[in-house]
């Protein structure tokens, strides 16, 4: 079955209501499909019970629906093969997944469908299982795949020299004998004459999927890969939203046949986020913005804007703060300080990683905070948070900055648990490292 985009497109809108972000599924064509996907943790056709797995329980339910004469209108998620009918062919799709046999699954992906900088969703089809893939090596995607144990299956990656932790990933994505370097961008891979970058990795390694992010700047040549039989799978790897985090991790767990590990990862991630959210309910609301590029601020449409809202903060920079761009250089937009009030700037930096020295901390701080020296809270409101950590831990460290009742020792314990369970044998004592940097941590 060729890759196709299913006719139903479900738009995701990020709402900031009382400074809490939520993904809302909207569909003018079929409200039942929208609601079914909204209720399901793993948003895949065939997952009729709406949990995190496509498994025997779903196959039995679909078989019963077929025997009972149910229709697609009655049970929209039961149409696993998306042919518009409920038959035993739908049961066969789920059984193939359970048994690890080749099939095609139809599922939701996160994607900026209308190119407005805001995450939408779309339903697409992907060949199962994925045994060989390439990826855009952004910090978010690399960390998610790594934590899920998806390393040997990644045969090629495109990344900048500063985007990936040279120690954390040196035996996996940065080992070019195992994972071909496909370019120097963490968001783009060229494709021509069957080659990804200048490599024949797609042909020689039987690559069937490209894993990338939802953002419109990622893989703008998607059709080139699709037409060559390489499924482009987009996930929201940097999201702390419960629905997006759960589906992104569990979809990868399904495709790469590591669903149990993905489930454990989701459980720990949500425990961390819910801990911070529980404290945020009883503390004063803060206003904060984020910066993930030197001298730039991001709008609320970014993953980092969503993260702040998820843990109870208010993100005051709207989608159009920089004329439609998802971020803006502060020296070009001095009006930001006059138009919007905020208490914190969080600098999310991937090079604040698991190998640190005081010299590197000093250098990063002086580099990334300098552009904001004329901000009224520049001495007390700027913090640097590691971008090279699991997304849930970014939420935890941001919460530690915002809320006095957050237990720093508990945050460290959470982080150590991620390392011990999901870092594939890499060992770090996180209590000896800094993942929040303030002015007081910098050498005078």
């Amino acid at each position: 079955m060729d890759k196709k985009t299913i006719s139903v497109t479900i738009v995701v809108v990020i709402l900031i209501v009382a400074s809490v972000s939520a993904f809302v599924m909207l569909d003018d064509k079929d409200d039942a499909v929208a609601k079914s996907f909204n209720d399901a943790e793993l948003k895949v056709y065939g997952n009729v019970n709406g949990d995190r797995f496509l498994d025997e329980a779903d196959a039995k339910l679909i078989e019963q629906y077929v025997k009972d004469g149910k229709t697609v209108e009655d049970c929209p998620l039961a149409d696993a093969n998306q042919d518009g009918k409920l038959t035993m062919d739908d049961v066969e799709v789920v059984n193939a997944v359970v048994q690890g046999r080749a099939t095609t699954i139809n599922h939701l992906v996160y994607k900026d469908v209308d190119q407005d900088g805001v995450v939408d969703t779309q339903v697409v089809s992907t060949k199962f299982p994925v045994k060989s893939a390439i990826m855009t090596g952004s910090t978010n995607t690399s960390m998610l795949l790594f934590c899920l144990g998806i390393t040997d299956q990644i045969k090629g990656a495109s990344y900048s020299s500063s985007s990936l932790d040279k120690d954390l990933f040196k035996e996996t994505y940065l080992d070019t004998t195992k994972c071909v370097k496909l370019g120097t961008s963490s968001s783009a891979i060229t494709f021509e004459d069957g080659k990804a970058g200048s490599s024949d990795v797609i042909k020689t390694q039987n690559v069937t999927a490209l894993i990338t992010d939802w953002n419109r700047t990622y893989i703008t040549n998607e059709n080139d890969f699709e037409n060559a039989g390489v499924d482009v799978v987009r996930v929201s790897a940097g999201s702390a939203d419960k629905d997006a985090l759960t589906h992104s991790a569990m979809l990868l767990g399904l495709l790469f046949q590591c669903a149990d590990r993905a489930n454990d990862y989701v459980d720990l991630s949500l425990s961390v986020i819910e801990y911070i959210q529980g404290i945020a309910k009883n503390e004063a609301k803060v206003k904060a913005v984020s910066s993930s590029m030197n001298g730039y601020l991001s709008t609320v449409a970014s993953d980092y804007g969503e993260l702040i809202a998820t843990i109870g903060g208010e993100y005051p920079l709207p989608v159009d703060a920089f004329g439609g761009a998802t971020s803006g250089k502060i020296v070009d937009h001095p009006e930001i300080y006059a138009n919007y009030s905020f208490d914190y700037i969080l600098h999310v930096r991937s090079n604040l990683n698991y190998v640190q020295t005081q010299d590197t901390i000093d250098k990063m701080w002086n580099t990334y905070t300098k552009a904001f020296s004329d901000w009224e809270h520049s001495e007390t409101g700027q913090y640097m948070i590691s971008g090279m950590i699991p997304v849930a831990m970014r939420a935890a460290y941001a919460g530690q900055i915002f809320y006095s009742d957050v237990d720093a020792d508990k945050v460290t314990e959470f982080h150590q648990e991620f390392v011990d369970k999901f870092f594939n044998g890499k060992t770090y004592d996180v209590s000896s490292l800094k993942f929040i940097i303030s002015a007081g941590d910098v050498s005078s």
Side-chain angles (χ1 to χ4, degrees), residues 2 11 22 50 114 172 180 199 262 399-400 441:
D2 293 335
V11 180
D114 53 7
T172 54
V180 178
S199 170
Q400 190 173 319
D441 297 307

Side-chain angles (χ1 to χ4, degrees), residues 220-291:
T220 57
N221 57 340
E222 176 176 332
N223 287 341
D224 293 337
F225 289 95
E226 296 282 4
N227 292 335
V230 178
D231 296 324
V232 177
V233 180
R234 294 182 181 272
V235 293
S236 188
S239 178
D241 173 83
K242 180 179 180 180
D243 282 352
L245 186 157
T246 299
H247 173 64
S248 295
M250 295 310 303
L251 175 63
L252 293 172
L254 169 65
L255 291 171
F256 287 91
Q257 298 178 286
C258 56
D260 288 340
R261 178 161 170 157
N263 184 57
D264 291 342
Y265 172 84
V266 170
D267 278 344
L268 179 56
S269 296
L270 296 184
S271 293
V272 173
I273 293 168
E274 288 165 4
Y275 167 68
I276 301 299
Q277 290 175 332
I279 291 174
K281 291 178 181 178
N282 301 314
E283 297 218 20
K285 191 176 296 297
V286 300
K287 293 182 179 180
V289 297
S290 63
S291 170

Side-chain angles (χ1 to χ4, degrees), residues 197-213:
S198 60
S199 170
D200 278 322
V201 66
I202 291 174
K203 179 179 179 180
T204 61
Q205 297 294 329
N206 298 314
V207 168
T208 63
L210 163 57
I211 312 302
T212 191
D213 202 88

Side-chain angles (χ1 to χ4, degrees), residues 352-418:
L352 179 60
N353 52 39
Y354 292 91
V355 178
Q356 306 171 1
T357 67
Q358 188 62 49
D359 286 345
T360 60
I361 288 173
D362 292 348
K363 182 178 180 179
M364 284 186 282
W365 179 264
N366 293 328
T367 299
Y368 302 131
T369 63
K370 184 178 180 180
F372 304 94
S373 59
D374 56 347
W375 178 45
E376 62 177 323
H377 304 302
S378 62
E379 295 298 320
T380 59
Q382 295 196 79
Y383 287 83
M384 190 161 57
I385 293 181
S386 174
M388 188 53 69
I389 55 178
V391 169
M393 291 312 307
R394 293 184 205 161
Y397 286 118
Q400 190 173 319
I401 293 169
F402 295 167
Y403 308 122
S404 59
D405 284 348
V406 172
D407 185 338
D409 290 337
K410 188 173 182 65
V411 170
T412 299
E413 289 174 6
F414 277 135
H415 197 166
Q416 192 65 54
E417 188 173 355
F418 271 108

Side-chain angles (χ1 to χ4, degrees), residues 11 55 80 84 136 170 181 247 250 257 324 341 353 363 435 443:
V11 180
D55 55 18
T136 50
K170 65 181 178 182
K181 186 165 186 179
H247 173 64
M250 295 310 303
Q257 298 178 286
S341 173
N353 52 39
K363 182 178 180 179
F435 298 95
S443 301

Side-chain angles (χ1 to χ4, degrees), residues 126-146:
T126 299
K127 295 179 287 294
F128 169 92
V130 178
K131 295 184 177 180
S132 182
I134 56 177
M135 73 171 183
T136 50
S138 70
T139 299
N140 293 329
T141 302
S142 300
M143 179 57 78
L144 177 57
L145 289 169
F146 186 76

